[in-house]
Amino acid sequence: MFTEEELQKVQEIRSHYPTNLAAVMGVLHMYQDKAGIVDEKGVAYVAKLIDVPEEHVLGVATFYEMYHQHPTGKYKLQVCTNVSCMLCNSDMVLKTIKDRIGIGIGEMTDDGLFSVHEVECLGSCGTAPVLSLNKQYHENLTPEKINELIDTMKAKG
Ligand code: FES
């Protein structure tokens, strides 16, 4: 699965921590960036690669919402619905997305371009409402900003 270069990166990640257990998140990120998801195969691969119990890797992969066990769109719209964002109208964010591309939380467009995910606090409460698009934050969202963002991604394809 991983290339020689990627395996070196795994070693580098491992070197930052006193135990391999602590390196699981970083290696899972690498796996997901490459495979698109962290499914059973990915859990088994990462566990074997860094010699930690599969149950531990599975626990990490299913606890944190940034790891996906099912296929996601090329563009992952991760909408924060935690308290600050909820008070600043995260419902508007979800409605605007639904109106523009026809999908809600947990769904993916037929063309595989977009998927929508509900996430807990993204740590940017002061600029709520917030969403993360493929790890890039978009803040102080308005319907106009959201539509513009979606249209830009659509144009990129
Ligand atoms: S509640 Fe949404 S970023 Fe904190």
Side-chain angles (χ1 to χ4, degrees), residues 80 82-85 121-125:
C80 175
N82 214 304
V83 178
S84 296
C85 286
C121 181
L122 289 167
S124 187
C125 310

Side-chain angles (χ1 to χ4, degrees), residues 83-95:
V83 178
S84 296
C85 286
M86 183 185 69
L87 292 172
C88 290
N89 209 358
S90 55
D91 282 352
M92 171 278 294
V93 177
L94 289 166
K95 183 180 182 320

Side-chain angles (χ1 to χ4, degrees), residues 16 33 55 62 72 115:
H16 294 161
D33 285 345
E55 302 76 40
T62 54
T72 60
S115 56

